[in-house]
Amino acid sequence: MTSDSRGAAAVRGIDQAKALRVSPVYLAGEDRSGAARVVYPLRDDFGWSVGSTGVANVVLDSPCRRARIGYLPTHPVYTSLWVVGVAIAPLHPFAWTAGFSHGTPGEIVAAFAKALTYDLAGGGRDALLDDRDLDLVVAPLLQVGWRTTHSYVGPEDEGEGEATEGLGIRYVSPDGLARARWFDSKADEGADPSVNRREGWDLGAGLPGAGWGAAFSAEVPDHLVAAVTRRLAAVRPVFRDERELVPELREHLIVSPSLP
């Protein structure tokens, strides 16, 4: 994205209107202009088309018609705020999907959307590449002090029970308020076939009732997931209005006035 692109300039204008700079990004919460942070660059700088599925719901389609991103705050079916899908060819079923819940900072979604856009435009690796590489995803996190906790039996089993090596692994931020988890259902040879265990990456942050989560199906290339973990690990602050901060997370944020 060039410095003089219209969408990027619009996002910079949004940031400059914010009164506060806050970090870490994963606790900054969803800003009121989070949709514009994703939509404007894709539409104005990369030629994505924009449509609507109802009040406040926006759907973006890539120029190649292989990818669709939905911003769905009022959709009656989808529970995720953002839904991303990529197909092998136009009009084909999605080969993989990713979802970002309500409360996800717009900067996190924008990082994923930007990496996907470069893939589709031929400026990066293919969005359907099978590049399973755990180190690629977690290296940015480990470099800023995230730690490995333990292998676990399932994506929702985080107790102190018996761990199952290779079945899943979890990484936690230094403040204990953000996580990254990989779960491999194929490694569980004794799994009950009637239990549908999701395979893939889960990322998220916050406190119970005051947080967000992102889920990536197993087919999402790890270099795209790594775009998200690089943004999670980045120390640069983001811009927010005081009213946009999540009260339960306020004490865990580093907050300073933005430059006039």
Side-chain angles (χ1 to χ4, degrees):
M1 185 183 301
T2 59
S3 59
D4 60 348
S5 56
R6 291 180 298 167
V11 171
R12 286 195 298 273
I14 291 170
D15 285 342
Q16 290 168 1
K18 304 287 184 176
L20 301 174
R21 295 191 304 165
V22 304
S23 62
V25 62
Y26 53 76
L27 298 180
E30 176 190 345
D31 60 19
R32 298 176 185 179
S33 49
R37 192 177 304 281
V38 177
V39 173
Y40 288 173
L42 293 185
R43 182 193 66 188
D44 297 340
D45 303 339
F46 296 106
W48 288 53
S49 62
V50 180
S52 175
T53 62
V55 178
N57 297 318
V58 176
V59 174
L60 298 104
D61 288 298
S62 64
C64 65
R65 298 300 188 222
R66 290 174 51 203
R68 171 167 286 189
I69 298 178
Y71 174 71
L72 308 170
T74 63
H75 199 283
V77 176
Y78 289 99
T79 58
S80 296
L81 179 63
W82 293 93
V83 178
V84 184
V86 172
I88 191 170
L91 303 180
H92 280 57
F94 290 142
W96 59 255
T97 59
F100 300 83
S101 75
H102 289 264
T104 304
E107 293 84 358
I108 301 297
V109 185
F112 186 77
K114 181 178 179 180
L116 172 60
T117 296
Y118 279 127
D119 268 12
L120 296 173
R125 284 181 285 181
D126 191 271
L128 296 172
L129 183 67
D130 183 10
D131 66 345
R132 184 65 56 223
D133 186 348
L134 183 143
D135 290 339
L136 188 67
V137 175
V138 303
L141 306 177
L142 298 178
Q143 289 172 2
V144 294
W146 286 49
R147 65 187 187 279
T148 307
T149 54
H150 59 263
S151 297
Y152 56 94
V153 173
E156 303 302 328
D157 183 358
E158 300 177 14
E160 298 301 325
E162 181 180 356
T164 303
E165 184 65 31
L167 193 53
I169 193 165
R170 186 173 187 262
Y171 301 84
V172 180
S173 61
D175 59 13
L177 296 176
R179 70 180 188 281
R181 301 185 297 188
W182 165 258
F183 179 67
D184 184 1
S185 61
K186 297 176 183 177
D188 189 3
E189 297 179 355
D192 184 347
S194 65
V195 177
N196 182 21
R197 286 180 169 174
R198 197 190 67 79
E199 182 180 356
W201 283 101
D202 284 300
L203 308 175
L207 297 168
W212 61 272
F216 305 87
S217 63
E219 295 78 15
V220 178
D222 275 356
H223 71 271
L224 292 179
V225 182
V228 177
T229 58
R230 286 195 300 271
R231 191 63 188 91
L232 287 178
V235 297
R236 66 182 184 274
V238 297
F239 295 84
R240 290 291 186 273
D241 187 282
E242 177 74 37
R243 294 165 295 179
E244 294 172 341
L245 300 182
V246 180
E248 295 87 343
L249 302 177
R250 181 67 169 77
E251 65 179 291
H252 302 284
L253 285 167
I254 300 172
V255 181
S256 62
S258 63
L259 296 176

